[in-house]
Amino acid sequence: MASHSEEELRKLESEYCSYGDTVHYATVPKFFKEAEGSFLYDSGSKPYLDLQMWYSAVNFGYGNQAINDRLKEQIDTLPQLACQYLHEEKVLLSAELAHECERAFGLKGRVQFNVGGSQAIEDSMKLVRNTTGKSLFMAFMGGYHGRTLAASEITSSYRYRRRYGHFSNRAHFVPFPYCFRCPYGKTIDSCDYYCVDQFEKLFDTEYNSFWDPKAQEPEFVAFYVEAVQGTGGYVIPPPEYFPRLAKILAERKILLIDDEIQMGFFRTGKFWAIEHFGVKPNIVVFGKAMTNGMNPISGVWGEERLISPQKFPPGSTHSTFSSNPLGTAAALATLEWIRGQKYEQTVAEKGAYFLERLEELKKRHATIGDVDGLGLALRIEVTQSDRYTPNKALADRIFEAGLEGGIPTSKGAMGLVLDVGGYYKNVFTLAPSLEISREEIDLAFEMLDFLFKKYSVEGTA
Ligand SMILES: Cc1ncc(COP(=O)(O)O)c(C=O)c1O
């Protein structure tokens, strides 16, 4: 294969690559050449510890041999097949995922596939529209469900809609229980879930505009949730929030749609993140880590009454590549990999250790306002030294410095791959490999400690 210098490639990129399909967070986006385990390597083979793993798509480590080998086998046997025909992997994968939902939620249902998270979200919207005949949805402030035209309508940022106009109906956005920055100015020790009460009030009388008491029908027919907000900054809700919300939704005949695209497949220590909260969604949407990021495939599970062939006939959402054999084979291999691990235990243990180290980091640096974690979905909220005012500039500087590399550690100089999210773009959303070792967690701590010390304008606590 022809080899080009980075300089040549950058020139070509600036002339021929649209920036529309990417997010250029770094001033000069970085080239990487190789990946293994928890590390990316640049063209000079220098290591970068990755704490974001392709936005949580590579939960099981770069170059996971078992999954890679299965994909290679599939390339040599049945690499291509139109979706109107059947192949073993598609059928087995559907059955396994449906069993995971039945185990978790006690409901029978079916699974169907598409190629990206946003497309699967759109498919779920069709399920809702088809069942209810209505198209008004609720979703959370700070929620992210993708950037296709319809998915943008339930993703809270106006930024994703501003240039492109409205495609359908913009969702009604409800405040998420982001307790560190409570939207109602309350504190968790005394609020008694005020936010849920506020939500319930929407249905008090017909004049609140969400409920017709005569027809006993809601105007908004589905609520899209992430159990832990991903792009919104790995915000973890308090334990009683979802059970209380789900009860209201059931009473008001509003479907609960669980977006597991970023938090599914054990990111939080459970197969589905919503399992932490003991509620039963009507529809589950998934993608990203289902193939360990190896081949684009995503999917939707729906309760039988929503997705039976009579209700949702062939052709409802078809895409050429929807149940492609490489994707289904890689996903089956991923599920087999998961079955061979004890993630419920190991993710909880590693997550607890990582969080302990983050607490230590917070003690050392007054520019860290909050740290939190559920399994290996962890957050560091970067602030001014008052531990509250968002400090995007510092988060950006540390992010860039991580990619510059050369950070001194007890194992030699290396770089750090971070991602910045959150309402104020001041949160490091940490999604390390679920295979990360204690030694690597310690390396992460060393590098973060070094970077906070070096770049916190106001010094350490
Ligand atoms: C929770 C959630 N939903 C939907 C999406 C959209 O998925 P995709 O980027 O594959 O379209 C994402 C992507 O980050 C996500 O995190």
Side-chain angles (χ1 to χ4, degrees):
M1 216 168 71
S3 186
H4 298 273
S5 70
E6 270 193 18
E7 202 186 346
E8 285 170 326
L9 290 172
R10 281 193 195 287
K11 238 167 133 188
L12 290 172
E13 194 245 6
S14 67
E15 198 171 345
Y16 295 112
C17 291
S18 161
Y19 291 179
D21 64 353
T22 180
V23 278
H24 277 226
Y25 286 131
T27 325
V28 183
K30 187 151 193 91
F31 278 101
F32 284 106
K33 272 201 128 161
E34 284 169 63
E36 201 185 337
S38 288
F39 286 90
L40 287 171
Y41 295 86
D42 68 11
S43 45
S45 300
K46 292 200 201 85
Y48 293 72
L49 178 64
D50 192 339
L51 294 185
Q52 237 289 323
M53 302 304 283
W54 201 355
Y55 318 125
S56 195
V58 193
N59 282 4
F60 314 106
Y62 290 117
N64 183 306
Q65 207 58 51
I67 301 169
N68 289 9
D69 285 349
R70 183 64 194 87
L71 190 54
K72 285 178 199 158
E73 255 172 55
Q74 193 70 29
I75 289 175
D76 289 334
T77 51
L78 183 70
Q80 299 109 331
L81 188 71
C83 300
Q84 76 190 89
Y85 310 115
L86 289 174
H87 62 285
E88 184 177 350
E89 291 74 15
K90 169 191 170 159
V91 177
L92 294 181
L93 179 62
S94 305
E96 287 200 20
L97 289 166
H99 289 153
E100 279 303 334
C101 289
E102 201 174 331
R103 173 197 57 72
F105 312 124
L107 295 167
K108 275 210 165 287
R110 291 170 193 260
V111 168
Q112 63 159 57
F113 300 106
N114 211 317
V115 286
S118 309
Q119 288 85 352
I121 287 285
E122 295 219 2
D123 292 350
S124 73
M125 290 172 151
K126 281 194 175 177
L127 281 172
V128 175
R129 286 179 172 220
N130 186 49
T131 299
T132 64
K134 295 184 183 178
S135 55
L136 290 184
F137 306 138
M138 291 181 173
F140 282 120
M141 293 178 191
Y144 184 89
H145 302 285
R147 285 189 221 195
T148 54
L149 281 170
S152 300
E153 300 286 6
I154 55 168
T155 292
S156 70
S157 303
Y158 169 50
R159 185 161 70 87
Y160 304 141
R161 292 185 291 274
R162 185 180 62 83
R163 293 168 181 275
Y164 315 107
H166 284 98
F167 173 68
S168 60
N169 301 299
R170 178 189 189 279
H172 172 75
F173 293 105
V174 174
F176 191 76
Y178 179 6
C179 301
F180 179 67
R181 298 184 188 281
C182 175
Y184 297 102
K186 307 268 180 201
T187 54
I188 185 70
D189 40 329
S190 61
C191 70
D192 198 19
Y193 290 85
Y194 179 82
C195 51
V196 182
D197 289 344
Q198 290 306 109
F199 180 72
E200 193 161 25
K201 283 203 167 77
L202 298 179
F203 305 95
D204 267 0
T205 81
E206 71 175 81
Y207 298 102
N208 297 17
S209 82
F210 285 85
W211 179 249
D212 180 340
K214 286 194 178 146
Q216 291 283 297
E217 263 186 37
E219 189 169 25
F220 291 75
V221 288
F223 198 139
Y224 277 79
V225 309
E226 294 165 88
V228 170
Q229 279 198 334
T231 307
Y234 283 26
V235 187
I236 301 157
E240 280 302 305
Y241 182 82
F242 274 116
R244 294 191 190 203
L245 182 82
K247 184 167 174 286
I248 299 167
L249 297 181
E251 284 165 6
R252 301 298 170 177
K253 301 177 187 166
I254 298 171
L255 297 170
L256 176 61
I257 321 293
D258 174 27
D259 181 344
E260 294 277 348
I261 291 168
Q262 187 157 168
M263 293 296 158
F265 301 96
F266 279 102
R267 166 58 50 207
T268 65
K270 299 262 187 211
F271 196 100
W272 308 117
I274 199 103
E275 287 184 66
H276 287 281
F277 304 105
V279 299
K280 295 177 197 292
N282 304 99
I283 291 174
V284 179
V285 192
F286 42 85
K288 289 195 197 273
M290 70 184 282
T291 62
N292 200 31
M294 291 296 291
N295 203 75
I297 192 163
S298 59
V300 177
W301 169 88
E303 271 187 75
E304 182 69 6
R305 71 183 170 103
L306 309 178
I307 203 173
S308 71
Q310 296 70 34
K311 190 86 193 174
F312 208 58
S316 293
T317 62
H318 173 263
S319 157
T320 301
F321 295 118
S322 53
S323 54
N324 66 86
L326 296 183
T328 50
L332 256 190
T334 302
L335 294 183
E336 199 177 322
W337 168 266
I338 288 173
R339 275 198 304 275
Q341 316 302 315
K342 293 195 174 98
Y343 281 137
E344 194 142 349
Q345 183 190 329
T346 59
V347 173
E349 283 166 6
K350 288 176 185 184
Y353 180 64
F354 208 143
L355 186 57
E356 205 179 281
R357 303 252 49 199
L358 295 183
E359 298 279 7
E360 201 179 327
L361 198 70
K362 182 179 158 194
K363 274 195 200 123
R364 289 187 184 203
H365 303 282
T367 47
I368 296 177
D370 182 50
V371 295
D372 202 359
L374 188 62
L376 282 165
L378 299 134
R379 73 193 311 267
I380 304 174
E381 180 133 3
V382 185
T383 61
Q384 302 294 340
S385 57
D386 62 1
R387 294 196 189 270
Y388 193 74
T389 313
N391 193 343
K392 177 181 182 302
L394 178 57
D396 285 346
R397 187 65 198 95
I398 290 174
F399 167 84
E400 297 244 355
L403 290 177
E404 283 159 19
I407 305 163
T409 77
S410 52
K411 302 272 181 257
M414 59 182 74
L416 187 63
V417 179
L418 295 166
D419 195 29
V420 182
Y423 295 25
Y424 300 90
K425 295 283 168 267
N426 68 321
V427 179
F428 292 127
T429 50
L430 309 183
S433 165
L434 305 189
E435 294 294 307
I436 195 169
S437 64
R438 275 195 167 223
E439 201 176 60
E440 288 165 345
I441 294 173
D442 290 339
L443 276 177
F445 172 84
E446 283 182 45
M447 285 192 269
L448 287 164
D449 189 38
F450 175 87
L451 294 171
F452 271 97
K453 203 173 290 164
K454 182 159 180 193
Y455 296 108
S456 291
V457 185
E458 314 224 21
T460 55

